[in-house]
Amino acid sequence: MGVAAQAVRPRLPGAVWVLVVARAVNRIGAFTLPFLGVVLTVEFGASLSQTGLILALFGLVTIPSRLLGGQLADRLGRRRTIVLGLTGCAVAQTWIAVSTELWSAILAALLLGLVFEIYEPPSQATIADVTEPADRPAAYGLLSAAMAAAGVLAGLLAAALSHWDLRWLFAADAATCAACAILVARALPADVRRDRERATVTAVWRDRRLLMLLAGGTVFATIYMQLVIGIPLTLLEQGLPKSGTGFILAVSAVTLILAQRLLRVQQLDDYRALTIGYTLVAVGLVVSAFAQSLTVFLVAAVLWSLGELFLLTRYLTLASGLAPDHARGRYLAVFGLSWGIATAIAPLTVTRLLESFGPEGLWLASAATAVVLAALQPWFRTRLAPA
């Protein structure tokens, strides 16, 4: 992250750096979601179909969580909303860690889903609030690089803790959520009073460009979440060690960090960057489809992680650019519904495709979808152009 950070440091205000540090702290412990399905299966004895249903319900309840985060960000304030969401995550993660029965773990997982996305819209809106449009790709890129750096530690920690009771992962995540909440409460600037009336009447759902961006983002997010949920289950299907997921996460994070330093991603046009990103993701998914060893899965992780580098920040940049200042939290919340929808869909598609067609069918179907998205970028460029 060093070179990228030095390049953007003079232009980025202090609030961005506070969020970067806070999210990095939280990211160190945020390695639990890929293991949630494994925990339900291994620790609590849920069947594969039960696990898919539970994870789908988790994803479904993240949808109102994201909308609530957007509403509170514009009304209650950015800092208060971030602290509220992180505190709720800490409580839910602790509940999962201390659960001894499947029903208790299910309730805790649903609570986690209800609070899981609250802090995302205010975090993204804060960055957009304090940066100029031209600087936003760099700001969101810096945030991604910092989270990737923390992800190296997260992956290694996950690999170490996964040798014991997997519920320790959730205890660690609860601790980092609490630490992140404290940091934000102490260091982020005080909330600014905003025009509540204008925010209330803004017709967010009538913005056709936002809805088009939401549709494209939902398909991408579904592919992403299929990787998060499907890779651990694929390793189990292939008889590979469950600790392999932690090493894959670490390699993915290292790839993002090194690529940030070596590639001039920020200088690319948004839609060209998206096309390149989807192509790389597709290649990585094809490799995953035929992988039989952890080494080959690590090669696949490098490829689809490079694709993510081109994709993640550009979607946030495009969404924040559509939003008026007084309703940015709600715009980003609506766009962020792509992740809630994807988190509800992905467990069902992953488990169904794994049961019916095996890993090859799952990852080849995902790769085909990524190719279609790459081909559609010129169409999106035309439809999302400013009026």
Side-chain angles (χ1 to χ4, degrees), residues 1 27 144-156 245-260 301-302 304-306 308-309:
M1 185 177 64
R27 176 69 175 120
S144 297
M147 293 179 69
V152 176
L153 295 176
L156 296 176
T245 299
F247 291 112
I248 290 173
L249 292 176
V251 167
S252 175
V254 170
T255 300
L256 287 172
I257 296 167
L258 294 178
Q260 283 276 359
V302 170
W304 46 255
S305 297
L306 285 173
E308 291 171 9
L309 174 65

Side-chain angles (χ1 to χ4, degrees), residues 209-221:
R209 293 182 301 158
L210 176 62
L211 297 182
M212 289 180 185
L213 193 63
L214 171 61
T218 298
V219 180
F220 161 66

Side-chain angles (χ1 to χ4, degrees), residues 159-229:
L161 292 178
S162 61
H163 288 292
W164 293 283
D165 191 323
L166 292 175
R167 283 172 290 191
W168 280 106
L169 299 175
F170 293 89
D173 199 1
T176 58
C177 282
C180 184
I182 293 171
L183 177 60
V184 169
R186 289 181 173 272
L188 202 66
D191 292 317
V192 177
R193 186 177 184 85
R194 299 180 183 275
D195 189 339
R196 298 184 180 185
E197 182 178 355
R198 290 182 67 194
T200 300
V201 300
T202 300
V204 178
W205 289 100
R206 296 179 183 176
D207 191 325
R208 294 183 179 180
R209 293 182 301 158
L210 176 62
L211 297 182
M212 289 180 185
L213 193 63
L214 171 61
T218 298
V219 180
F220 161 66
T222 301
I223 296 174
Y224 184 96
M225 291 307 302
Q226 286 184 160
L227 281 166
V228 170
I229 296 168

Side-chain angles (χ1 to χ4, degrees), residues 63-84:
I63 295 175
S65 173
R66 173 83 61 159
L67 291 175
L68 178 61
Q71 290 283 351
L72 292 177
D74 287 337
R75 297 183 179 184
L76 183 62
R78 315 299 201 215
R79 185 175 69 177
R80 294 189 187 96
T81 305
I82 295 171
V83 171
L84 176 65

Side-chain angles (χ1 to χ4, degrees), residues 32-379:
T32 54
L33 186 56
F35 288 91
L36 182 55
V38 179
V39 167
L40 292 170
T41 303
V42 175
E43 303 293 340
F44 295 101
S47 67
L48 191 61
S49 60
Q50 288 175 326
T51 297
L53 178 59
I54 295 166
L55 293 178
L57 290 174
F58 170 88
L60 190 62
V61 298
T62 64
I63 295 175
S65 173
R66 173 83 61 159
L67 291 175
L68 178 61
Q71 290 283 351
L72 292 177
D74 287 337
R75 297 183 179 184
L76 183 62
R78 315 299 201 215
R79 185 175 69 177
R80 294 189 187 96
T81 305
I82 295 171
V83 171
L84 176 65
L86 290 170
T87 302
C89 286
V91 171
Q93 298 273 21
T94 301
W95 186 357
I96 293 175
V98 301
S99 293
T100 58
E101 301 290 341
L102 179 59
W103 65 265
S104 179
I106 293 173
L107 291 178
L110 293 179
L111 174 62
L112 180 62
L114 286 170
V115 298
F116 193 72
E117 300 284 354
I118 287 178
Y119 67 86
E120 285 287 358
S123 297
Q124 296 164 1
T126 297
I127 290 178
D129 289 342
V130 300
T131 56
E132 296 297 326
D135 295 333
R136 287 172 191 163
Y140 288 125
L142 176 62
L143 181 63
S144 297
M147 293 179 69
V152 176
L153 295 176
L156 296 176
L157 185 58
L161 292 178
S162 61
H163 288 292
W164 293 283
D165 191 323
L166 292 175
R167 283 172 290 191
W168 280 106
L169 299 175
F170 293 89
D173 199 1
T176 58
C177 282
C180 184
I182 293 171
L183 177 60
V184 169
R186 289 181 173 272
L188 202 66
D191 292 317
V192 177
R193 186 177 184 85
R194 299 180 183 275
D195 189 339
R196 298 184 180 185
E197 182 178 355
R198 290 182 67 194
T200 300
V201 300
T202 300
V204 178
W205 289 100
R206 296 179 183 176
D207 191 325
R208 294 183 179 180
R209 293 182 301 158
L210 176 62
L211 297 182
M212 289 180 185
L213 193 63
L214 171 61
T218 298
V219 180
F220 161 66
T222 301
I223 296 174
Y224 184 96
M225 291 307 302
Q226 286 184 160
L227 281 166
V228 170
I229 296 168
I231 288 296
L233 294 175
T234 298
L235 293 182
L236 288 178
E237 288 281 313
Q238 300 285 22
L240 297 172
K242 59 187 178 183
S243 60
T245 299
F247 291 112
I248 290 173
L249 292 176
V251 167
S252 175
V254 170
T255 300
L256 287 172
I257 296 167
L258 294 178
Q260 283 276 359
R261 299 182 62 179
L262 299 175
L263 301 178
R264 298 182 180 274
V265 179
Q266 305 301 340
Q267 297 180 4
L268 289 174
D269 167 83
D270 287 336
Y271 299 97
R272 184 173 299 175
L274 291 173
T275 301
I276 295 172
Y278 282 124
T279 302
L280 287 168
V281 167
V283 174
L285 291 169
V286 170
V287 175
S288 298
F290 299 103
Q292 299 290 326
S293 67
L294 182 59
T295 300
V296 179
F297 276 110
L298 294 176
V299 172
V302 170
L303 291 168
W304 46 255
S305 297
L306 285 173
E308 291 171 9
L309 174 65
F310 287 89
L311 294 169
L312 291 171
T313 60
R314 295 309 173 129
Y315 270 117
L316 288 174
T317 300
L318 289 170
S320 63
L322 294 177
D325 293 344
H326 58 272
R328 185 167 285 133
R330 294 204 297 147
Y331 261 70
L332 288 167
V334 169
F335 173 72
L337 291 180
S338 58
W339 293 97
I341 297 169
T343 308
I345 295 173
L348 301 178
T349 57
V350 165
T351 53
R352 180 63 61 86
L353 288 172
L354 276 177
E355 289 179 335
S356 301
F357 305 104
E360 294 88 353
L362 168 62
W363 301 122
L364 288 177
S366 300
T369 305
V371 169
V372 171
L373 280 170
L376 284 175
Q377 290 313 304
W379 183 87

